[in-house]
Amino acid sequence: MSVSPSLLPLSVIVTRLRAAGCVFAEDEAQLLLSAARNSDHLAAMVERRVIGLPLEHVLGWAEFCGLRVAVDPGVFVPRRRTEFLVARAVTLAGPGAVIVDLCCGSGALGAAVVAGLGRAELHASDIDPAAVRCARRNVGAAGGQVHEGDLYEPLPGTLQGRVELLLANVPYVPTEEIELLPAEARVHEARVALDGGVDGLDVLRRVTAAASLWLAPGGHLLFETSERQAPQAVETVARDGLIPRVVTSDELYATVVIGTRPAPGRTVPVPATAS
C-alpha cells in the first residue's frame, strides 16, 4: 500500500535523507513511500534511515540478482558486487546440483543460484542465530534447508563428497580495518559477518582446509575476496588441494576465487586470472 504524498511530501523526505548523507535520496524516498503502510509507519522508516540504519534493514528486504531477499535488522546486507559470484556459480553447474552456502547470512547467495539453475538441493549454514532465522525465509522459499552452527559442523554428513557448488561468502575484512568501514556496516551488521581476522583470511583458511572432504570430484568452491588479498587466497586454496583461478569484474569491482577439486586421476592446470 502506498502512502499519499500529502501525508508527508516527497520533497520533505528527500530533503531529510539528503541532509543525512543519503546519496540516492530521491530513489530511497520513493522506496520508503511505496513500502509505508500508513503515515506513522512512513515517519518511523524515514527516522530510522536518517539516523543511519541501512535502507535494506528499514525496508526489510534487499534487491539481489532480481530477487527480493528478506533482510532483518543486524543481518549482513547482500552487496551488488556479489551478484558476480552468483553469475559465475550458475555457469559451473546444472539443474539439480547439490549446493552448500556457508556463512550464508540472509541466504541470498544460495537462493539466487537456485533461481539461476531452476532447481537444486540447497543447504546453508550460519553461526549467527539472527542470520539463520532470516535465511530460513529466503532459503526455505527456494526449497532449501538452513542449519545453525559453525561452518560445516551443522551440515548433514551425507553431503560429504557430493557438493557441486560450495559458496562461502566468508568475512574478509582485516580486524584493524573494521573501524574504517561505513557506519551502515560497522554499526548495523553483525561483526561476525565482517571480521576476517588479522589478515582477513582466518575464516577462509578454515573453509578451504575441509573443502575437499565436502566437494564432489570436479566440484567448485567460490568465495569473494579483495584484489589485494587474492594472491594469498589463491595460495591457501592450492595448499589445500584445490585448483584455483581468479575471476574479476571491473564493472562491479568484484574479485572471486574459484577452487576446483580435481577429478581422480586428472591433473588440472591452474588457469590464469580472467575477467
Side-chain angles (χ1 to χ4, degrees), residues 73-85:
V75 175
F76 184 83
V77 176
R79 280 29 171 187
R80 182 168 178 262
R81 66 173 176 269
T82 309
E83 293 183 354
F84 179 65
L85 185 155

Side-chain angles (χ1 to χ4, degrees), residues 29-50:
Q30 292 284 5
L31 285 169
L32 293 172
L33 275 166
S34 66
R37 296 187 296 271
N38 52 51
S39 58
D40 288 341
H41 185 218
L42 176 59
M45 287 196 297
V46 171
E47 184 61 27
R48 293 176 71 207
R49 183 63 180 130
V50 163

Side-chain angles (χ1 to χ4, degrees), residues 86-100 110 112-122 162-167 218-220 222:
V86 170
R88 299 310 298 237
V90 169
T91 69
L92 295 173
V98 177
I99 303 170
V100 167
V113 171
V114 171
L117 294 177
R119 60 183 177 83
E121 179 183 344
L122 172 62
R162 296 181 52 232
V163 179
E164 295 165 69
L165 292 176
L166 178 58
L167 315 174
H220 308 282
L222 295 94

Side-chain angles (χ1 to χ4, degrees), residues 228-253:
R228 172 172 53 89
Q229 293 166 313
Q232 192 174 355
V234 164
E235 291 178 7
T236 300
V237 168
R239 184 181 61 243
D240 287 324
L242 303 179
I243 305 300
R245 62 187 175 112
V246 179
V247 291
T248 61
S249 168
D250 293 335
E251 177 187 359
L252 295 177
Y253 196 60

Side-chain angles (χ1 to χ4, degrees), residues 38-212:
N38 52 51
S39 58
D40 288 341
H41 185 218
L42 176 59
M45 287 196 297
V46 171
E47 184 61 27
R48 293 176 71 207
R49 183 63 180 130
V50 163
I51 65 175
L53 271 73
L55 176 66
E56 295 82 1
H57 288 167
V58 176
L59 295 172
W61 57 269
E63 184 177 345
F64 184 73
C65 292
L67 303 177
R68 182 171 286 196
V69 177
V71 182
D72 294 336
V75 175
F76 184 83
V77 176
R79 280 29 171 187
R80 182 168 178 262
R81 66 173 176 269
T82 309
E83 293 183 354
F84 179 65
L85 185 155
V86 170
R88 299 310 298 237
V90 169
T91 69
L92 295 173
V98 177
I99 303 170
V100 167
D101 183 1
L102 298 181
C103 303
C104 70
S106 66
L109 272 69
V113 171
V114 171
L117 294 177
R119 60 183 177 83
E121 179 183 344
L122 172 62
H123 294 265
S125 74
D126 202 289
I127 198 170
D128 180 7
V132 169
R133 288 192 297 271
C134 182
R136 283 184 172 144
R137 290 150 61 197
N138 297 312
V139 172
Q145 300 179 48
V146 182
H147 312 273
E148 183 176 339
D150 186 23
L151 298 180
Y152 304 99
E153 181 272 329
L155 297 175
T158 53
L159 291 175
Q160 292 186 6
R162 296 181 52 232
V163 179
E164 295 165 69
L165 292 176
L166 178 58
L167 315 174
N169 199 19
V170 298
Y172 59 90
V173 180
T175 302
E176 65 178 13
E177 296 179 19
I178 295 290
E179 294 307 312
L180 303 178
L181 293 175
E184 287 187 3
R186 185 181 71 250
V187 176
H188 298 290
E189 294 179 331
R191 189 177 180 106
V192 69
L194 304 170
D195 193 342
V198 174
D199 64 355
L201 301 176
D202 282 0
V203 181
L204 173 64
R205 293 187 185 94
R206 296 177 56 219
V207 169
T208 62
S212 290

Side-chain angles (χ1 to χ4, degrees), residues 256-270:
V256 171
V257 178
I258 302 173
T260 302
R261 180 186 171 189
R266 294 187 60 187
T267 300
V268 182
V270 179

